[in-house]
Amino acid sequence: MAKERSRSRKPAPAPPKGPPVAARARRGATSAKRGPRVKPAKPYPGFPLFPHATGRWAKKIRGKFAFFGPWEDPQGALQRFLDERDELMAGRVPRGKTGESGKRAKETPTLRELVNRFLDAKHRRLESGEMGQRAFADYHASSGRLLKGLDEHRRLDDIDSADLGGLRAKLAVTMGPVSLGNEIGRVRSIFKFAFESGLIPAPLRFGAEFAKPGKRTIRLARHARGPRMFEPPEIKILLEAATPQMKAMILLGLNCGLGNTDIAMLPKKAFDLKKGLMNFPRPKTGIARRAVLWPETVAALKQVAKVRPAAKREEDDGLVFMTKYGRPWLSIDPPKPGSGSPRTAVVKDAIGLQFGKLMRATGTHVMGRSFYALRHTFRTVADEVGDRPAVDLIMGHENGQDIATHYIERIGDPRLKRVTDAVKAWLNG
């Protein structure tokens, strides 16, 4: 039976002569009408592409063939190669091109597109009152430095830890350790926004180099700079030479530990001058603060009310202090829209400017010491009292790590007065 079956089988047909049909189709080798195609020569020596048998200009990149256009258009193929080379070298599918998986490459935003979306989100928080003008200006300035340092047209998937390390090195040239740490924190928040908003598929790896300066570096810088506080003789000199508004500001800095932004945004309703009290939340954090005023501070504030210029804008009429131009002492001019190059918001701190002039005029100027050093002075002296909760309430601080603060519902005015009296006693010697 086996022999009969083998005899009944028909022999396999002989293979056709010449190359396989698929190979002939790929090469476009034969055609009854056109005849064989001849590969063209390169347009010039050094032309980066070669003529592939499929009738297209090609190049082998990362072990795979990439095709850029027909033989008849070598210049167009070259231009496409130049446009897609970087993405192909990096192993990515070029924009608008279909990859091996059949999925079209997603348009990856540029750094400038990220920054614009980030600032739009922050501006909405500013308009809703969830963010202060100073904080928004800091984010705006950091965004401008980021665009300048990394090239605003860079795609987000092209940015890596080496780029951020180079950016940090540039920033460190012009910034101190504390400012550099704050800048790194803001840049990190920008790229965190990119991931949370779906602009990049995975969180950006910042690398070990793009880190905030260590505590040791910050301590050494502080030692080199010296104490950021004033001594009683210097304060008395400044008070004697100050204008009525600046005198009241200096007293508030020492009496209540107020900073530049706090004073510039002080509303009239924050004070009860009859009882000698200040009660209003910090503009920066919204944390409550309360202080007992010295008689000298009350008298200075009454004098300010007499000489204060009228506000030019109705919304500023409720502020305690006003410049001679009828503007707040701290203002932020937003960037002008439509500018070609990155523009940042301009912060105008008239308090710091005028206090700097006063220090230079009185011979009390020390490099690195500004109006904000009055707040440092208050805290340094007030801590000698040993009542930290009372000092924190005056300054608008909140220690979230101390569980005891969650159970303190009220601090009496006598405790606040004991703190401010101690600072006044130190000032009077």
Side-chain angles (χ1 to χ4, degrees), residues 147-161:
L147 292 176
K148 185 177 180 180
L150 290 185
D151 181 9
E152 59 185 283
H153 300 296
R154 286 281 296 277
R155 282 174 51 182
L156 296 182
D157 53 5
D158 279 340
I159 299 173
D160 55 21
S161 58

Side-chain angles (χ1 to χ4, degrees), residues 330-399:
L330 189 144
S331 61
I332 299 176
D333 294 339
K336 296 179 180 180
S339 55
S341 58
R343 294 286 301 276
T344 58
V346 179
V347 180
K348 297 180 180 179
D349 182 6
I351 295 177
L353 181 64
Q354 293 301 321
F355 188 73
K357 291 181 179 179
L358 178 62
M359 287 193 297
R360 287 188 289 272
T362 56
T364 58
H365 179 264
V366 175
M367 186 64 67
R369 192 171 65 173
S370 62
F371 185 89
Y372 207 77
L374 294 170
R375 182 170 167 84
H376 288 241
T377 303
F378 171 83
R379 182 75 198 213
T380 303
V381 179
D383 267 0
E384 297 293 332
V385 179
D387 191 348
R388 182 172 181 177
V391 176
D392 286 344
L393 178 59
I394 294 172
M395 298 193 69
H397 285 168
E398 187 176 75
N399 187 0

Side-chain angles (χ1 to χ4, degrees), residues 65-83:
F65 287 114
F67 302 97
F68 302 99
W71 290 347
E72 293 79 14
D73 186 15
Q75 203 59 35
L78 175 62
Q79 185 59 50
R80 183 174 177 182
F81 163 72
L82 295 175
D83 292 340

Side-chain angles (χ1 to χ4, degrees), residues 50-100:
F50 70 89
H52 193 266
T54 57
R56 295 173 289 176
W57 292 101
K59 189 173 181 65
K60 199 170 188 179
I61 299 176
R62 296 173 64 95
K64 297 180 181 179
F65 287 114
F67 302 97
F68 302 99
W71 290 347
E72 293 79 14
D73 186 15
Q75 203 59 35
L78 175 62
Q79 185 59 50
R80 183 174 177 182
F81 163 72
L82 295 175
D83 292 340
E84 300 178 357
R85 175 177 53 188
D86 294 339
E87 282 80 4
L88 292 170
M89 291 289 189
R92 296 188 297 268
V93 179
R95 285 188 172 193
K97 193 174 181 181
T98 304
E100 292 181 355

Side-chain angles (χ1 to χ4, degrees), residues 113-379:
E113 291 169 355
L114 164 62
V115 165
N116 286 337
R117 290 187 58 172
F118 175 80
L119 291 177
D120 286 343
K122 293 299 181 184
H123 193 265
R124 286 191 288 270
R125 293 191 62 192
L126 174 66
E127 291 180 329
S128 65
E130 300 176 73
M131 173 178 286
Q133 288 186 334
R134 190 65 178 263
F136 177 75
D138 289 340
Y139 276 118
H140 214 296
S142 297
S143 299
R145 287 188 286 266
L146 177 62
L147 292 176
K148 185 177 180 180
L150 290 185
D151 181 9
E152 59 185 283
H153 300 296
R154 286 281 296 277
R155 282 174 51 182
L156 296 182
D157 53 5
D158 279 340
I159 299 173
D160 55 21
S161 58
D163 298 317
L164 295 173
L167 174 65
R168 187 189 189 279
K170 294 177 184 177
L171 296 173
V173 175
T174 58
M175 292 184 172
V178 176
S179 299
L180 178 61
N182 294 335
E183 185 77 359
I184 290 174
R186 287 188 288 267
V187 171
R188 282 176 170 266
S189 68
I190 293 174
F191 285 107
K192 182 182 178 182
F193 173 85
F195 170 66
E196 292 179 345
S197 302
L199 301 179
I200 52 178
L204 180 66
R205 292 181 179 271
F206 295 100
E209 190 176 357
F210 195 70
K212 296 183 178 182
K215 294 181 179 179
R216 176 180 176 274
T217 303
I218 295 175
R219 286 196 295 267
L220 291 175
R222 286 176 176 172
H223 286 307
R225 183 183 59 207
R228 289 183 62 187
M229 66 175 292
F230 292 91
E231 298 300 332
E234 297 174 305
I235 296 170
K236 292 176 181 178
I237 293 174
L238 291 168
L239 288 172
E240 290 177 2
T243 62
Q245 290 203 79
M246 183 56 67
K247 180 179 180 180
M249 292 176 182
I250 295 173
L251 288 171
L252 287 171
L254 285 169
N255 188 169
C256 311
L258 298 183
N260 306 45
T261 305
D262 299 328
I263 290 176
M265 298 292 106
L266 264 177
K268 297 175 183 178
K269 61 182 181 181
F271 295 102
D272 186 340
L273 297 183
K274 291 183 179 180
K275 294 182 179 180
L277 294 172
M278 179 199 72
N279 190 1
F280 90 111
R282 286 192 71 190
K284 180 179 179 181
T285 60
I287 297 175
R289 67 189 312 170
R290 184 178 176 88
V292 176
L293 301 177
W294 302 334
E296 295 88 344
T297 307
V298 173
L301 288 170
K302 290 180 179 179
Q303 183 63 24
V304 168
K306 296 179 182 178
V307 301
R308 170 188 176 276
K312 284 192 173 182
R313 300 184 304 180
E314 185 178 352
E315 58 265 31
D316 297 331
D317 193 48
L319 298 179
V320 174
F321 298 101
M322 198 64 55
T323 67
K324 63 181 180 180
Y325 303 107
R327 297 287 304 277
W329 280 74
L330 189 144
S331 61
I332 299 176
D333 294 339
K336 296 179 180 180
S339 55
S341 58
R343 294 286 301 276
T344 58
V346 179
V347 180
K348 297 180 180 179
D349 182 6
I351 295 177
L353 181 64
Q354 293 301 321
F355 188 73
K357 291 181 179 179
L358 178 62
M359 287 193 297
R360 287 188 289 272
T362 56
T364 58
H365 179 264
V366 175
M367 186 64 67
R369 192 171 65 173
S370 62
F371 185 89
Y372 207 77
L374 294 170
R375 182 170 167 84
H376 288 241
T377 303
F378 171 83
R379 182 75 198 213

